[in-house]
Amino acid sequence: AIEVGANQAVGGSLMPGTVAFQGARGAFSYEACLALRPWNEPKGYETFAEAIAAVASGECECGLIPVENSIVGLLPDPNRLIEEHGLKIVAEAWRPMRQMLMGQPDAKLTDLKTVESHPVALGQCKASVASLGLKPVEAYDTAGAAEMVAASGDLSRAAIAPAVAAEIYELKILRADMQDSADNRTRFVVVER
């Protein structure tokens, strides 16, 4: 495995094309695509199954898929789906996961009642969420949660997502580094047919 810095690309095919990822624009996988595969155009899918199927069918040239996290361990769904579709792993990289708590531009921490995010992200921030007395609400994606919170206009709703999601969806970061471990990292793999 290689430790990859913020702007260091990883291999596989170096041809321009589309890279499939799970999530919405602003998700950790989107951020990883921009950093690790800058020559590819990122294309988001709501589920791991859809993203991996897009690679298997040839709709996308490759996929950038998270398969393991330093806090929660192996991610069973993406690992199983990669194997079931017979995709080959051509590169991998560990990336730091810095989780941000974000809400409406006028929100304060004391306004918050719920926090929305992907189940894995909520698992990485369990103690921090509990310490703030927030009710966790599962969403399909970190950035998708940020987008829904932004659209709601509700000061009591927050999302946990990467900083880029706050920028994209015009939310305010209310607390940085919500992850329970300072060494929160995720291993991403590049998969091809």
Side-chain angles (χ1 to χ4, degrees), residues 11-21 37 39-43 45 51-64 87-88 90 190-193:
S13 171
L14 301 180
M15 298 297 293
T18 309
V19 57
F21 71 94
R37 303 286 297 186
W39 57 89
N40 287 134
E41 179 184 336
K43 184 171 183 182
Y45 294 86
I52 290 167
V55 177
S57 72
E59 181 181 329
C60 293
E61 283 69 28
C62 66
L64 189 63
L87 300 180
K88 62 181 176 180
V90 296
V190 177
V191 293
E192 293 179 352
R193 288 197 300 166

Side-chain angles (χ1 to χ4, degrees), residues 13-99:
S13 171
L14 301 180
M15 298 297 293
T18 309
V19 57
F21 71 94
Q22 183 276 322
R25 203 167 65 90
F28 282 107
S29 292
Y30 172 81
E31 186 180 64
C33 287
L34 296 180
L36 301 176
R37 303 286 297 186
W39 57 89
N40 287 134
E41 179 184 336
K43 184 171 183 182
Y45 294 86
E46 189 167 324
T47 66
F48 287 121
E50 292 168 341
I52 290 167
V55 177
S57 72
E59 181 181 329
C60 293
E61 283 69 28
C62 66
L64 189 63
I65 308 294
V67 294
E68 184 178 5
N69 176 267
S70 59
I71 294 174
V72 298
L74 287 176
L75 308 179
D77 286 348
N79 282 288
R80 176 182 52 77
L81 290 163
I82 289 167
E83 188 175 326
E84 283 177 4
H85 283 85
L87 300 180
K88 62 181 176 180
I89 294 173
V90 296
E92 66 177 46
W94 283 93
R95 293 199 31 95
M97 297 286 109
R98 296 192 59 218
Q99 306 280 10

Side-chain angles (χ1 to χ4, degrees), residues 14 36 38 42 51 55 59 92 110 116 140 149-150 156 161 164-165 170 173:
L14 301 180
L36 301 176
V55 177
E59 181 181 329
E92 66 177 46
T110 54
E116 303 168 34
Y140 81 95
V149 166
S156 73
V164 69
E170 299 178 357
I173 294 176

Side-chain angles (χ1 to χ4, degrees), residues 103-107 146-158 169 171:
Q104 299 297 325
D106 298 334
E147 184 177 24
M148 290 186 295
V149 166
S152 77
D154 186 340
L155 296 179
S156 73
R157 290 174 66 180
Y169 301 110
L171 294 171

Side-chain angles (χ1 to χ4, degrees), residues 128-184:
S128 296
V129 167
S131 74
L132 293 172
L134 301 177
K135 178 185 174 196
V137 177
E138 290 187 0
Y140 81 95
D141 178 56
T142 54
E147 184 177 24
M148 290 186 295
V149 166
S152 77
D154 186 340
L155 296 179
S156 73
R157 290 174 66 180
I160 290 176
V164 69
E167 248 178 75
I168 291 170
Y169 301 110
E170 299 178 357
L171 294 171
K172 177 170 80 174
I173 294 176
L174 299 168
R175 180 170 287 174
D177 293 321
M178 285 289 288
Q179 67 275 1
D180 295 335
S181 167
D183 188 35
N184 182 25

